[in-house]
PDB file of all heavy atoms in Angstrom:
ATOM      1  N   PRO A  58       2.435   7.839  -8.068  1.00 91.00           N
ATOM      2  CA  PRO A  58       1.214   7.802  -7.262  1.00 91.00           C
ATOM      3  C   PRO A  58       1.115   8.972  -6.365  1.00 91.00           C
ATOM      4  O   PRO A  58       2.064   9.578  -5.980  1.00 91.00           O
ATOM      5  CB  PRO A  58       1.313   6.473  -6.508  1.00 91.00           C
ATOM      6  CG  PRO A  58       2.783   6.388  -6.286  1.00 91.00           C
ATOM      7  CD  PRO A  58       3.476   7.039  -7.583  1.00 91.00           C
ATOM      8  N   SER A  59      -0.139   9.301  -5.940  1.00 88.00           N
ATOM      9  CA  SER A  59      -0.287  10.171  -4.850  1.00 88.00           C
ATOM     10  C   SER A  59      -0.330   9.315  -3.588  1.00 88.00           C
ATOM     11  O   SER A  59      -0.254   8.077  -3.697  1.00 88.00           O
ATOM     12  CB  SER A  59      -1.693  10.945  -4.921  1.00 88.00           C
ATOM     13  OG  SER A  59      -2.714  10.132  -4.664  1.00 88.00           O
ATOM     14  N   THR A  60      -0.144   9.938  -2.352  1.00 89.00           N
ATOM     15  CA  THR A  60      -0.278   9.257  -1.189  1.00 89.00           C
ATOM     16  C   THR A  60      -1.509   8.298  -1.038  1.00 89.00           C
ATOM     17  O   THR A  60      -1.451   7.208  -0.718  1.00 89.00           O
ATOM     18  CB  THR A  60      -0.178  10.155   0.025  1.00 89.00           C
ATOM     19  OG1 THR A  60       0.989  10.882  -0.050  1.00 89.00           O
ATOM     20  CG2 THR A  60      -0.142   9.491   1.341  1.00 89.00           C
ATOM     21  N   GLY A  61      -2.557   8.911  -1.439  1.00 90.00           N
ATOM     22  CA  GLY A  61      -3.976   8.260  -1.465  1.00 90.00           C
ATOM     23  C   GLY A  61      -4.032   7.052  -2.486  1.00 90.00           C
ATOM     24  O   GLY A  61      -4.439   6.064  -2.110  1.00 90.00           O
ATOM     25  N   THR A  62      -3.510   7.224  -3.698  1.00 92.00           N
ATOM     26  CA  THR A  62      -3.712   6.191  -4.615  1.00 92.00           C
ATOM     27  C   THR A  62      -2.633   5.047  -4.316  1.00 92.00           C
ATOM     28  O   THR A  62      -2.892   3.871  -4.474  1.00 92.00           O
ATOM     29  CB  THR A  62      -3.388   6.715  -6.076  1.00 92.00           C
ATOM     30  OG1 THR A  62      -2.181   7.256  -6.238  1.00 92.00           O
ATOM     31  CG2 THR A  62      -4.505   7.691  -6.488  1.00 92.00           C
ATOM     32  N   LEU A  63      -1.492   5.430  -3.747  1.00 93.00           N
ATOM     33  CA  LEU A  63      -0.575   4.398  -3.329  1.00 93.00           C
ATOM     34  C   LEU A  63      -1.148   3.610  -2.159  1.00 93.00           C
ATOM     35  O   LEU A  63      -1.107   2.343  -2.176  1.00 93.00           O
ATOM     36  CB  LEU A  63       0.757   4.927  -2.929  1.00 93.00           C
ATOM     37  CG  LEU A  63       1.859   4.012  -2.381  1.00 93.00           C
ATOM     38  CD1 LEU A  63       2.202   2.996  -3.323  1.00 93.00           C
ATOM     39  CD2 LEU A  63       3.121   4.744  -1.915  1.00 93.00           C
ATOM     40  N   GLY A  64      -1.776   4.259  -1.165  1.00 93.00           N
ATOM     41  CA  GLY A  64      -2.332   3.572  -0.012  1.00 93.00           C
ATOM     42  C   GLY A  64      -3.377   2.647  -0.384  1.00 93.00           C
ATOM     43  O   GLY A  64      -3.452   1.481   0.151  1.00 93.00           O
ATOM     44  N   ILE A  65      -4.305   3.060  -1.199  1.00 95.00           N
ATOM     45  CA  ILE A  65      -5.491   2.178  -1.597  1.00 95.00           C
ATOM     46  C   ILE A  65      -4.978   0.945  -2.455  1.00 95.00           C
ATOM     47  O   ILE A  65      -5.512  -0.089  -2.317  1.00 95.00           O
ATOM     48  CB  ILE A  65      -6.529   3.002  -2.262  1.00 95.00           C
ATOM     49  CG1 ILE A  65      -7.876   2.102  -2.459  1.00 95.00           C
ATOM     50  CG2 ILE A  65      -6.168   3.490  -3.623  1.00 95.00           C
ATOM     51  CD1 ILE A  65      -8.645   2.183  -1.136  1.00 95.00           C
ATOM     52  N   THR A  66      -3.956   1.242  -3.349  1.00 96.00           N
ATOM     53  CA  THR A  66      -3.430   0.165  -4.130  1.00 96.00           C
ATOM     54  C   THR A  66      -2.753  -0.967  -3.250  1.00 96.00           C
ATOM     55  O   THR A  66      -2.915  -2.072  -3.452  1.00 96.00           O
ATOM     56  CB  THR A  66      -2.335   0.721  -5.191  1.00 96.00           C
ATOM     57  OG1 THR A  66      -3.110   1.623  -5.979  1.00 96.00           O
ATOM     58  CG2 THR A  66      -1.862  -0.428  -6.107  1.00 96.00           C
ATOM     59  N   GLY A 121      -1.858  11.505 -10.398  1.00 69.00           N
ATOM     60  CA  GLY A 121      -2.777  10.684  -9.431  1.00 69.00           C
ATOM     61  C   GLY A 121      -3.542  11.561  -8.452  1.00 69.00           C
ATOM     62  O   GLY A 121      -3.984  10.909  -7.401  1.00 69.00           O
ATOM     63  N   GLN A 125      -6.828   7.629 -11.022  1.00 89.00           N
ATOM     64  CA  GLN A 125      -5.591   7.103 -11.624  1.00 89.00           C
ATOM     65  C   GLN A 125      -5.827   5.683 -12.157  1.00 89.00           C
ATOM     66  O   GLN A 125      -6.451   4.824 -11.340  1.00 89.00           O
ATOM     67  CB  GLN A 125      -4.416   7.128 -10.560  1.00 89.00           C
ATOM     68  CG  GLN A 125      -3.032   6.887 -11.182  1.00 89.00           C
ATOM     69  CD  GLN A 125      -2.012   7.471 -10.357  1.00 89.00           C
ATOM     70  OE1 GLN A 125      -2.088   7.443  -9.030  1.00 89.00           O
ATOM     71  NE2 GLN A 125      -0.916   8.058 -10.916  1.00 89.00           N
TER      72      GLN A 125
END
Side-chain angles (χ1 to χ4, degrees):
S59 69
T60 303
T62 59
L63 175 59
I65 192 81
T66 301
Q125 196 159 34

